[in-house]
Amino acid sequence: MDRRSFVAGTAAFVAAGPALAQEAFPSHAITIINAFPPGGINDIVTRPLASMMEPILKQPVVVETKAGAAGQVGAQVVASAKPDGYTLLSHNTGISGYAEVDKLFGRAVKTSRSDFIALARIVADPVVLLVNDQQPYKTAKEFIEDVKKHPDTLVFSSGGLYGATHLPLALLDKAAGGLKLRHQCTTQSVSATLPHIKAGKLRPLAVFSATRSKQLPDVPTLKELGYDTEYYLWVGIFAPKATPEAITLTLRDAIKKAAHSDQFKTALANTGQELAYLDNPDFQKFWDIDGKRTDDAVLAIGRVQG
């Protein structure tokens, strides 16, 4: 081989190097950071999903819990991770409002929606307005009318300020023209409360979904009742921003195949969940709307010291 042929061949090999490296993805284990404690909705959705992804990607897919600060710890870990597709994030509705809450309190923004690529939404559990069996209200209309007659007297419970069980009530407050609820009702996901509803300990008044829940077909949506609001406890998988498109396409394809497998759908059904899959383009559109809705709810609540 003459020198010119050797140099030309070497140059072609070097130029092809990045492409060959991309084609090799994944070459080792992928970690999905679960931003919430074990046993929660993210955990019970992500672990079977990861198991279904392994044979598709032909590499281990490990779920690692990094809980804390209402999901912010895990979000920060992934936001600062190398954008190479090997560190992903399992998060939920709460990821939408972090930046607005930080701004509200004059803090430096730790993470924002722009730090992530939304790969896929897996489930979207409707939130339901509930009272316990000791309360007199049988319908959402009765409840809302009584609240308006007695502002600042009825209290509600939530899992924490600006969280997924606090924000829906702020949205309902706005849609209903000002309820002035204090921090006997609560909002929780359908799957988390269904056993208590069936046992008669909790009474569902309305769901926050666009259509009636299959689990609670007799419970009206708030939209049916004339209140234009919608809210879900959803779970999605994210990658750090700047992750190469070729890699995100590989990941999206694996997640889609895993999520639509019979084994995964059975695993969801066993926990009272059902697949509500959205691939990146549709998930991003949904997240843009949901994020704006969350920001509005945070601003409506205002600065609360809790």
Side-chain angles (χ1 to χ4, degrees), residues 236-257:
I237 306 297
F238 301 84
K241 69 178 181 181
T243 301
E245 184 179 7
I247 290 175
T248 63
L249 287 172
T250 298
L251 290 167
R252 284 167 52 193
D253 180 64
I255 295 168
K256 184 176 183 178
K257 289 176 179 175

Side-chain angles (χ1 to χ4, degrees), residues 93 121 124-131 140 143-144 156-157 163-176 179 181 185-190 193 203-213 216 219-225 227-234 286 290 293 297:
T93 317
R121 188 186 76 176
D125 201 359
V127 169
V128 58
L129 176 66
L130 300 147
V131 293
F143 172 76
I144 290 171
F156 69 90
S157 65
T165 55
H166 185 196
L167 297 176
L169 285 167
L171 293 170
L172 176 58
D173 182 279
K174 181 179 178 181
L179 298 181
L181 284 165
C185 74
T186 187
T187 58
Q188 300 288 340
S189 68
V190 170
T193 54
R203 186 180 303 131
L205 302 181
V207 289
F208 281 74
S209 47
T211 58
R212 292 195 181 198
S213 166
L216 299 171
V219 179
T221 69
L222 285 168
K223 287 191 173 184
E224 284 179 60
L225 302 175
Y227 305 106
D228 187 17
T229 188
E230 200 173 327
Y231 198 83
Y232 305 86
L233 179 55
W234 52 262
F286 168 84
D290 190 72
R293 190 159 46 215

Side-chain angles (χ1 to χ4, degrees), residues 63 66 81 92 112 135 148 179 208 211 224 231 240 245 272 275 281 300 306:
V63 178
K66 293 283 186 184
N92 62 32
S112 68
Q135 299 301 315
K148 286 187 173 182
L179 298 181
F208 281 74
T211 58
E224 284 179 60
Y231 198 83
E245 184 179 7
L275 188 65

Side-chain angles (χ1 to χ4, degrees), residues 128-134 184 186 188 192-205:
V128 58
L129 176 66
L130 300 147
V131 293
N132 65 43
D133 60 348
Q134 304 302 308
Q184 284 32 99
T186 187
Q188 300 288 340
T193 54
L194 195 59
H196 305 290
I197 292 171
K198 289 182 175 179
K201 298 297 183 182
L202 290 175
R203 186 180 303 131
L205 302 181

